[in-house]
Amino acid sequence: METVRKFFEVLQSGDGKATVSMESLGKLLEMETNWGDDSVVPDAPDMAVVWATRMRGQIEKDVVELYLELEIETLHDKWVRVPLLGTPTAMESIQMVKEDSPEEGKRIHAYIIPSPDGVFMFSAFGIAKWKVSFRATLPIHDGHTRSFHLRIPCSVQTELRMRSPLEESHIEVDPKLKMISTSDPEGSWIEVTLPPTEFVRVTWSARRVEMEDDIARIEAPEQVLTADQYIVYSIQEDLCRVRARWLLGVFHRPRHTLNIAIPSNMTVRNVQGDNLRKWEIVHLETGAERNRDEISSALSEEATRCVRLFHSSGVKGPYDFEMEAEMKMDANQGMNDEHSHGAQLAMSLKTFHVLDAEREHVFVTVEASSNIEVQELSKVGAMRIDESELPGFLLRDHSYPSVERTVFCFKAPNPNFDVTIGVCRHEEVDVLTAIIEEAWLETTVSANNSFTKVQLKMRNSSKQFLRCSLPEESTTYSTEVDCLPVKPARDANQEIMIPLPRKRGPSGDTWVDITYISTHTPLEARGALILNLPKVDVPINQLFLTVFLPYGFSFGDFSGDLREVERHSSELNRSKPFETLVAYREADIDGLPPQSFPQRAVRLCSTHNEALMQESSVIDSTKPHQGRSEGLVPVHVDSLREGKQFNFERLLVNDEELKLQLGYRRDETPFWRRKWFR
């Protein structure tokens, strides 16, 4: 491009003529020929490439003698620098050989330049292939193992061949792809193929043979294994679940396998732990007296089953793992018999034992469900303790026993203890899981229809739906739960099903609103009007009914299941919609997580104790479930109040169909009044 630019400058500045050398004209023709040809690469991506690095080493007493051979190809017609050895070394001999040059006749230079920090650089000018070989001496780093490291150029192929004069030497190279080790009377050899890398580390240790006259024999300490086990027996209807956790201490030498003896009537379900490769159930051989002696005397002669743990690498120091198991209850003693409530079953708490453990402490916790009674019958070798004396990490772990379900705890200095407990199952009692504390009904009667607004203040811990039977010929307008619209369902008995949130605690109130309209016999000159109230499947503590009757009629002779009062004994007091919305989001509704509920903007429009919530849902297309039910949801419907007001009350309504009957008479207009209006 420089030649072309100069060529056009000469043409523009002169008389349109220019003198061009044959070399420049040849470059112009070459550029014209290669224009648009993708196969011609103007510049190489790198300055140089190292095709191969071959290293041969000999380990001496205090140093390593190393011979390196590198194949380097420079790719640019300019000065190129390649670091040969980044580790400070002492060079003994250096040799450079140019193997090939694609452009003959050009000047090509190459040098090896040392830097003040002991690093040698290969500098070359021109495109060529070089073979560089040199001998160097490196220091050895002494420590627990002897080692040296090299910083070499990253090459396509890297090989290392190392020799140690000590027989049976253990040599390691990092990194490596493939390594072959051989040993002979002259020493140990390794041949290693390395990946492309800039750093190589070689470590080795000699397996020396101690001689009586030269080296004093030093015996390594024996391996020591200690164990602390924490066992939780969770007694249920027909089985006993066992959760065990061990805190081990492995000292002096790593351990690759662990054997835990388990009782014969226990089934292991799962074992979890760090660095655990697999686990299996094995049986100790009957003739193996050594293994027999290792089993605790608290285990019977039949307790030869063991859980064997295999670790990917040896464990050393503190190590913990967990085990889950099950132990069936004795069906012959009545725990599974539905007619044997109150029958006691004697159960022995059999524990585990870590084989080869020098010391083993045991903590035992017994927990049971609400209808299981557990009593201590006898204990030998164990001491009763309080829950607060358990280790701190067990009290903080929610998967381990809770104080509410814990019956008693023991501790023992070793697994040689015997604790017998009596287990007795009692019949469960059905309890109330949902109740309506207040039911507020407002009914507005017209000539042909009646409009009813139902507000229920209830508590619910496990009930999924509230079932409501509306009067005949009724149409549901709206259903809401905690000021939020929900879509109801209808079962086979034509009852309305409204989904309920599950709340626990003192502030777990839920408000359910139902709005519907029903038809009745048209009002005539005189007669009787019957109002049927909705029926729910949850007991009601207090029911308050307000009826608005049309003007132009006189009403009396009230009868039915409710009592007429001048004013209600209580007032409707509902929480603010924002507080209700927060409680709704924290509840567990039909098993859906709270984060799946929509985020809503709330605007309060209230008069006295009644509040309306106008919500704008923030739609998120990434969440398939944004509401408590799928499909269309109803709108909010306010109460309708018009006419003469009458109040009624009722206490303790339990699955009853309530109705209210009243007599009426149309008010007659006087004769003179009718004539006056005409």
Side-chain angles (χ1 to χ4, degrees):
M1 293 300 296
E2 187 69 22
T3 304
V4 175
R5 185 167 57 253
K6 290 183 179 180
F7 178 69
F8 279 101
E9 289 177 357
V10 173
L11 290 178
Q12 293 175 0
S13 61
D15 53 355
K17 297 181 181 180
T19 302
V20 182
S21 63
M22 294 299 295
E23 182 179 1
S24 299
L25 184 60
K27 288 186 177 182
L28 289 174
L29 294 176
E30 182 180 0
M31 292 176 61
E32 178 67 21
T33 303
N34 296 334
W35 183 263
D37 188 1
D38 295 338
S39 63
V40 178
V41 181
D43 292 322
D46 295 325
M47 305 291 288
V49 59
V50 181
W51 290 106
T53 300
R54 301 179 181 88
M55 297 174 284
R56 304 290 185 271
Q58 172 72 29
I59 300 175
E60 299 298 339
K61 184 177 181 180
D62 297 325
V63 296
V64 176
E65 295 182 357
L66 195 64
Y67 174 78
L68 282 83
E69 183 179 290
L70 296 91
E71 295 181 3
I72 305 173
E73 182 177 359
T74 54
L75 306 177
H76 283 267
D77 195 8
K78 59 180 72 173
W79 282 104
V80 177
R81 302 182 66 185
V82 178
L84 292 182
L85 200 59
T87 306
T89 56
M91 289 288 185
E92 296 183 2
S93 62
I94 301 176
Q95 183 179 2
M96 296 183 300
V97 178
K98 181 171 68 67
E99 294 185 343
D100 185 19
S101 177
E103 299 181 3
E104 298 292 341
K106 284 194 173 183
R107 297 195 313 172
I108 299 176
H109 306 280
Y111 305 95
I112 294 181
I113 304 173
S115 61
D117 55 356
V119 179
F120 291 84
M121 303 292 295
F122 172 76
S123 300
F125 181 86
I127 301 175
K129 292 184 179 180
W130 300 86
K131 178 179 288 188
V132 181
S133 58
F134 56 88
R135 294 183 180 275
T137 302
L138 283 77
I140 294 177
H141 302 280
D142 285 329
H144 181 67
T145 58
R146 311 188 75 189
S147 63
F148 71 91
H149 62 272
L150 294 172
R151 188 173 295 278
I152 59 176
C154 186
S155 60
V156 177
Q157 180 183 3
T158 306
E159 297 178 355
L160 171 65
R161 180 178 174 85
M162 185 68 62
R163 178 184 177 274
S164 173
L166 299 176
E167 187 179 359
E168 297 295 333
S169 293
H170 182 68
I171 306 176
E172 287 290 338
V173 180
D174 183 37
K176 63 177 181 295
L177 293 177
K178 180 181 178 182
M179 185 173 72
I180 301 176
S181 302
T182 58
S183 179
D184 54 26
E186 297 181 358
S188 301
W189 292 84
I190 60 167
E191 295 182 2
V192 187
T193 302
L194 288 79
T197 181
E198 295 183 351
F199 186 83
V200 180
R201 181 179 180 86
V202 181
T203 60
W204 70 93
S205 59
R207 302 174 184 172
R208 303 180 179 179
V209 180
E210 291 82 2
M211 305 299 294
E212 296 180 358
D213 299 335
D214 300 333
I215 303 175
R217 183 178 182 84
I218 301 177
E219 295 184 358
E222 295 183 357
Q223 185 185 74
V224 177
L225 176 64
T226 62
D228 294 331
Q229 60 172 299
Y230 309 90
I231 306 176
V232 179
Y233 293 92
S234 181
I235 302 175
Q236 301 178 4
E237 292 288 338
D238 56 348
L239 57 84
C240 177
R241 296 185 182 273
V242 182
R243 302 193 306 274
R245 182 173 181 177
W246 282 268
L247 295 182
L248 303 182
V250 184
F251 304 99
H252 303 317
R253 286 185 297 168
R255 192 178 184 92
H256 296 272
T257 59
L258 290 171
N259 296 321
I260 297 96
I262 59 177
S264 58
N265 62 341
M266 191 172 294
T267 303
V268 179
R269 297 302 185 188
N270 189 26
V271 181
Q272 294 180 348
D274 296 336
N275 200 21
L276 182 62
R277 180 164 56 91
K278 69 173 184 177
W279 62 274
E280 62 183 12
I281 303 295
V282 297
H283 295 266
L284 299 181
E285 298 180 2
T286 306
E289 297 181 357
R290 183 180 61 86
N291 290 338
R292 265 307 170 177
D293 296 338
E294 292 173 350
I295 301 178
S296 171
S297 60
L299 304 177
S300 62
E301 294 294 332
E302 301 176 356
T304 58
R305 298 170 62 243
C306 289
V307 177
R308 180 165 295 174
L309 309 182
F310 299 88
H311 300 87
S312 300
S313 58
V315 294
K316 188 177 180 181
Y319 178 73
D320 65 300
F321 65 95
E322 298 181 1
M323 181 185 300
E324 296 180 5
E326 292 180 357
M327 189 165 55
K328 291 185 178 181
M329 311 294 287
D330 192 356
N332 297 327
Q333 300 192 32
M335 280 296 294
N336 295 330
D337 189 1
E338 60 181 1
H339 302 290
S340 61
H341 298 295
Q344 192 177 57
L345 167 67
M347 176 181 172
S348 177
L349 300 182
K350 298 181 179 180
T351 183
F352 305 92
H353 176 57
V354 179
L355 303 186
D356 298 332
E358 185 176 292
R359 172 183 57 81
E360 188 170 7
H361 293 167
V362 184
F363 288 86
V364 178
T365 301
V366 180
E367 63 179 18
S369 55
S370 58
N371 66 321
I372 303 295
E373 181 183 2
V374 182
Q375 297 179 354
E376 177 189 339
L377 300 181
S378 64
K379 66 177 185 293
V380 177
M383 182 175 62
R384 185 89 170 262
I385 61 174
D386 188 71
E387 294 88 351
S388 60
E389 299 182 57
L390 292 172
F393 73 93
L394 287 181
L395 299 177
R396 295 187 297 267
D397 194 347
H398 298 289
S399 62
Y400 273 79
S402 60
V403 178
E404 293 79 8
R405 298 183 58 187
T406 300
V407 181
F408 40 69
C409 303
F410 297 96
K411 71 175 182 180
N414 52 63
N416 302 332
F417 67 89
D418 185 11
V419 175
T420 304
I421 61 175
V423 180
C424 181
R425 188 186 69 166
H426 300 283
E427 184 178 1
E428 294 183 351
V429 178
D430 294 335
V431 295
L432 190 65
T433 60
I435 189 172
I436 298 176
E437 296 180 345
E438 298 178 3
W440 295 85
L441 285 77
E442 292 184 1
T443 300
T444 302
V445 180
S446 64
N448 299 317
N449 303 317
S450 60
F451 179 89
T452 304
K453 174 81 172 183
V454 181
Q455 302 179 66
L456 305 176
K457 178 185 178 182
M458 62 181 304
R459 292 177 179 271
N460 176 45
S461 61
S462 63
K463 194 174 181 61
Q464 184 180 6
F465 292 99
L466 172 66
R467 282 178 162 82
C468 178
S469 298
L470 301 180
E472 296 182 358
E473 299 182 1
S474 299
T475 302
T476 305
Y477 274 6
S478 176
T479 54
E480 298 180 1
V481 175
D482 286 337
C483 300
L484 298 178
V486 296
K487 185 177 181 180
R490 190 184 301 272
D491 62 3
N493 298 327
Q494 302 302 312
E495 294 182 346
I496 302 299
M497 302 169 56
I498 302 174
L500 296 176
R502 300 179 181 92
K503 301 179 183 179
R504 297 183 179 181
S507 60
D509 294 338
T510 300
W511 282 92
V512 179
D513 298 297
I514 306 172
T515 307
Y516 68 93
I517 187 171
S518 58
T519 60
H520 57 78
T521 305
L523 298 180
E524 299 178 351
R526 66 176 56 239
L529 177 64
I530 299 177
L531 297 178
N532 294 317
L533 303 184
K535 174 187 174 183
V536 294
D537 62 342
V538 177
I540 302 175
N541 285 344
Q542 289 182 297
L543 186 144
F544 304 94
L545 172 64
T546 302
V547 181
F548 295 91
L549 298 176
Y551 294 110
F553 291 86
S554 297
F555 298 90
D557 297 333
F558 294 103
S559 62
D561 302 319
L562 286 84
R563 177 174 57 91
E564 183 183 6
V565 295
E566 182 178 356
R567 64 179 59 185
H568 291 307
S569 60
S570 179
E571 294 184 357
L572 177 62
N573 185 15
R574 295 191 60 171
S575 60
K576 296 180 180 180
F578 178 76
E579 298 175 356
T580 305
L581 179 62
V582 172
Y584 161 73
R585 287 177 180 167
E586 294 177 351
D588 179 15
I589 301 178
D590 295 343
L592 297 178
Q595 56 267 25
S596 66
F597 303 151
Q599 302 294 323
R600 292 175 167 87
V602 179
R603 181 173 65 89
L604 302 182
C605 310
S606 59
T607 57
H608 299 288
N609 292 328
E610 295 182 350
L612 304 178
M613 175 184 300
Q614 181 177 355
E615 58 180 17
S616 58
S617 299
V618 180
I619 300 177
D620 188 356
S621 60
T622 61
K623 297 180 180 180
H625 302 285
Q626 283 207 341
R628 298 173 61 183
S629 59
E630 298 179 1
L632 301 177
V633 294
V635 297
H636 176 78
V637 180
D638 294 334
S639 300
L640 181 61
R641 300 172 181 175
E642 181 67 26
K644 302 177 182 179
Q645 180 177 347
F646 297 88
N647 301 321
F648 303 89
E649 289 185 0
R650 170 70 184 269
L651 292 178
L652 301 179
V653 180
N654 187 8
D655 197 15
E656 301 179 37
E657 295 183 358
L658 304 181
K659 65 179 180 179
L660 177 65
Q661 183 176 353
L662 51 93
Y664 66 89
R665 178 176 57 85
R666 188 186 301 273
D667 294 337
E668 295 293 340
T669 305
F671 173 77
W672 63 270
R673 186 73 176 270
R674 294 200 303 268
K675 186 176 180 181
W676 174 265
F677 280 113
R678 291 178 182 175

